[in-house]
Each structure stands twice: as structure tokens, then as C-alpha cells.
Amino acid sequence: MPNVTEKPLVSAALGQKPSRTPIWFMRQAGRYLPEYQNIRKNIEFVDLCKTPALAAEVTIQPLRRFDLDAAILFSDILVPCMALGQEFSIDKGHGPHLFPPIRGEGDLTKLKDTVDVSELDFVAEALELIKPQLSPQQTLIGFAGAPFTVCSYMVEGGPSKDFSHLKRFMFTQKHAFNILLNKVSDLTVSYLTMQHRAGADVVMLFDSWAGNISQDDYREHIYPVMTSLFKRLKNLQIPVIYFPGQGGQQLSVCAGLEFDVLSIDWRLNFGSALKTLDSLKVPYNVQGNLDPLYLLGSEAFIREKTRNIMEQASVSARGHIFNVGHGLTPLTPIESLEWTIDEVRRFKA
Ligand code: CP3
């Protein structure tokens, strides 16, 4: 891995202290931006993801408005499920859907035996269009869902309150569930390799539902597949960010996995999370962790909350990437992001 880089985000991800704290926002492209709505009103979400010129345009939109250190590929964690043979759609008001659901061993045959990642070439094409539009200081982030979170959707077929189908599958057919997790993990390695070749400087794994299982179950069912996944991603020789969403209880469990940056959920106190990492002696760099709904507050409130995180980071973080502790919501006012960025830029430890 390079030691010196002109990209502040890559430096921080490698544990250095760049001259400015890098900042970007999870879900920075999306429905809170009128220019996104404008494109989206004429095209279905999945078609937008599959059209490189439009996906690239939507990726760049937030960078035209804000002084951000990174662009994140516009796509979705469920896009690769199409290469496994599932149909993917976003239904208005109901969220993402995958068909057919894979609810047990008997359903595994509904997935393709061999997966051809070139079916997802449109993603590489979008990255190739985005890269030349960035300055040398800006970082291009590629991403995928972590296997457990992707499998949650693959098994449930859509959003779920209690993940009953997923848990029944995991608890009653451990071996078959493991086959499914590993299938997604293999695809993830090929998919992120393709993204790196197409220009991604950093990759991020979203494990948004990691908090929906106990520590013991994470250790038993998820940890082994994540260990091998991160080991294989090391071959890319680029920084890897891991986001265990709602996963406060997984902090100590995932310690030991070989990624570079831990993205911290907004539910955790940033300073306490840093202390926990310190006591576990894991040398992770950190990303986070403003509550995205703080952005609905007043200017003074947003500035204070932003400063709090910067102060906590300045006490004990190694590399720090400022971010929200989960994705921006459609109601986010545009000025709120401007105040947050300004406060990060002004901060002096
Ligand atoms: O961060 C970015 O700007 C990049 C784009 C991005 C999207 N989804 C775009 C999107 C990323 C990184 C994701 C990841 C993703 N998708 C996650 C992990 C992160 C997280 O938020 O926990 C998850 C769990 C998904 C699954 C998913 N896709 C959900 C829950 C939704 C929202 C459904 C809804 O209707 O509210 C989507 C759709 C989606 N993905 C949208 C966007 C901008 C909204 C689609 C629209 O325009 O209607």
C-alpha cells in the first residue's frame, strides 16, 4: 500500500493525519438532491444503476455542490444479486425486492452455479466515467454489501422487521446457509476486484444489518466468512472500510478482522467506541459518526454536534474520516451539509 498519497481520505484510511480531515456522506447521492429527483423521475432506480452515463452523473452531483473528499459509486448493494440470478427492483413505498427469495437449501438451485461478474460491467463503465471527473485529491470509493446483509435481502426477498426467514434458514440449515454466504462472498471478491480495476481507490463493505444478530451468532455464522473475505481483499492493496450497521455489540467481535477503517454507527458514542478499540488493541482507523437526523436540526445544533465528533476524534483516533453514522435521508436540507463541512474544515484540535 502507498505510504504517501495526495488523497486525504486514503491517507486517513492508512492511519496517517492528513492536513485536512477528509469528509464525505453515506448516501450523498440521492433523493434529498433536486438534481437527483430530476433524473430519477424519468427512469426506474435499477435502470439508473445500469446506465453508466447516468450513474456517473448522479455520483458526481453532490461533488458539484459540496467540497467533498470522495465520490461513492452510485449503485446499490443488491445490484450484484442480479448476477446470481435474482430479479431486483425498488418498489415505491416498499423498498428493495429480490425474486425469487432463497429461503432454504432447496432454493439454492434457483441461483446460478457459476457467476459471471462481467454481467455487471455497467458498474465498471460508470467508474471509468467518474474517475476523470475527480481531482487528484479526491478519492473514488467502490462498494458492496457484506455477505450477511446481502443474504438478509436474498432470503427475505425484501425488507423485514424481524428477519424470521433469514434466522430460520441460518439456525436450521447452518451448512446450506454457509454455502449461500460463501457464494455471495466469492461474488463480492470478484465484484470489488472489478471495481478496483475500473478505478476505485478504496472499497467499502456495508453490513447494515450486522446489529440484528447476537454476538455469539456473529462469531459462529459470520466471522469465518468475513475473515476469509477480508484476507482476499488484501490482495487488492487498497484500503478497505467496514460498516457494521447498528452493530455496537459487534465492535469487540469483529476486532481482529483485517480491514483498515471501521465505520462507526451513529448509535455509539464516538469517544467511547474509540476507547473500546483502544482497549482491544486493534489499530483501526475510524469513520463517522454524526447521526444523519441531526442534519434536520438548526445550524448551531449541527455545528455543535459536528464539533463534538471532531473533538473526540482529535483525542484518540488514528486516521479519521468524517461521515454520518448511517445514510442521509430524503429530508436532509442542503444547507445542513454545508454547515457540517464548514465546521469540519474550521476545526482546530
Ligand atoms: O452512498 C451513496 O450515495 C451511494 C449509493 C448507495 C445507494 N444504496 C443508493 C440508493 C449505496 C452505498 C447504497 C447501499 C445500500 N442499499 C445499503 C447499505 C447502506 C445503508 O443505508 O444501510 C442498503 C441496506 C441498501 C438497500 C436499499 N436500497 C434500501 C434500504 C433502499 C431504500 C429504499 C427506499 O425506498 O427507501 C435502497 C434504494 C436506494 N439505494 C436509493 C438510493 C439513492 C433510493 C432509491 C430511489 O431513488 O428511490
Side-chain angles (χ1 to χ4, degrees):
M1 262 186 225
N3 262 332
V4 182
T5 165
E6 56 189 332
K7 298 181 191 299
L9 191 144
V10 174
S11 299
L14 295 174
Q16 297 155 9
K17 304 251 182 226
S19 53
R20 68 181 215 171
T21 298
I23 173 169
W24 69 282
F25 297 90
M26 291 194 227
R27 293 268 182 101
Q28 63 191 21
R31 287 170 289 187
Y32 73 102
L33 287 176
E35 56 271 37
Y36 172 82
Q37 299 278 18
N38 208 22
I39 289 189
R40 178 69 172 84
K41 69 176 193 273
N42 300 316
I43 189 164
E44 281 304 318
F45 177 78
V46 176
D47 294 329
L48 174 52
C49 294
K50 286 167 101 173
T51 310
L54 289 179
E57 166 60 21
V58 167
T59 301
I60 294 294
Q61 283 178 343
L63 284 87
R64 292 205 190 98
R65 276 189 188 265
F66 310 113
D67 176 20
L68 296 166
D69 291 282
I72 179 160
L73 164 73
F74 186 84
S75 188
D76 196 83
I77 58 166
L78 304 180
V79 161
C81 300
M82 294 192 281
L84 289 170
Q86 284 184 304
E87 268 171 47
F88 170 41
S89 61
I90 298 274
D91 304 343
K92 254 207 159 69
H94 297 284
H97 275 272
L98 289 172
F99 185 83
I102 308 300
R103 297 203 168 148
E105 187 167 12
D107 290 334
L108 289 177
T109 51
K110 294 177 181 164
L111 298 176
K112 288 187 193 164
D113 254 353
T114 47
V115 175
D116 183 3
V117 78
S118 70
E119 278 181 43
L120 304 170
D121 262 352
F122 53 86
V123 165
E125 283 172 42
L127 287 163
E128 282 159 8
L129 293 173
I130 298 163
K131 188 83 176 199
Q133 300 186 58
L134 303 183
S135 76
Q137 288 75 35
Q138 287 171 324
T139 299
L140 180 52
I141 304 176
F143 74 89
F148 173 69
T149 293
V150 173
C151 288
S152 308
Y153 284 100
M154 290 179 73
V155 174
E156 294 292 334
S160 164
K161 280 209 171 66
D162 57 8
F163 296 86
S164 315
H165 296 294
L166 172 80
K167 292 196 175 181
R168 182 173 52 202
F169 189 175
M170 186 163 77
F171 299 148
T172 62
Q173 300 181 355
K174 181 176 172 180
H175 178 68
F177 186 70
N178 195 253
I179 293 175
L180 180 62
L181 276 179
N182 278 294
K183 206 174 174 81
V184 173
S185 177
D186 290 347
L187 170 62
T188 305
V189 174
S190 322
Y191 182 53
L192 292 177
T193 304
M194 175 178 96
Q195 292 188 34
H196 170 50
R197 289 197 185 121
D201 304 299
V202 168
V203 289
M204 174 153 171
L205 279 175
F206 287 93
D207 211 350
S208 306
W209 306 136
N212 282 329
I213 48 171
S214 69
Q215 288 187 328
D216 289 348
D217 290 327
Y218 189 100
R219 208 172 275 123
E220 179 178 344
H221 299 273
I222 315 302
Y223 193 87
V225 74
M226 295 309 282
T227 303
S228 101
L229 176 55
F230 286 120
K231 271 203 178 11
R232 290 155 79 192
L233 292 179
K234 277 230 162 295
N235 295 331
L236 300 184
Q237 299 193 303
I238 55 172
V240 176
I241 307 175
Y242 180 50
F243 172 61
Q246 313 180 18
Q249 80 272 25
Q250 311 309 8
L251 223 56
S252 59
V253 184
C254 70
L257 293 174
E258 291 182 71
F259 53 83
D260 302 282
V261 181
L262 182 67
S263 193
I264 296 177
D265 188 277
W266 61 267
R267 293 166 184 83
L268 288 168
N269 173 279
F270 203 55
S272 310
L274 290 172
K275 280 199 192 103
T276 306
L277 294 179
D278 212 37
S279 68
L280 292 167
K281 303 208 180 333
V282 280
Y284 295 137
N285 304 298
V286 285
Q287 174 170 276
N289 83 333
L290 192 75
D291 181 343
L293 294 184
Y294 283 165
L295 297 168
L296 306 186
S298 70
E299 175 174 357
F301 176 82
I302 292 170
R303 287 186 182 275
E304 184 198 327
K305 296 294 184 190
T306 301
R307 221 164 30 245
N308 276 347
I309 291 172
M310 293 300 285
E311 273 156 13
Q312 288 169 324
S314 70
V315 175
S316 59
R318 291 162 51 95
H320 174 220
I321 300 165
F322 191 94
N323 207 321
V324 271
H326 202 159
L328 297 182
T329 65
L331 293 182
T332 308
I334 284 162
E335 320 81 84
S336 298
L337 298 192
E338 284 159 0
W339 297 325
T340 308
I341 295 166
D342 182 60
E343 201 59 37
V344 169
R345 299 284 179 239
R346 280 163 187 251
F347 182 80
K348 298 253 178 317

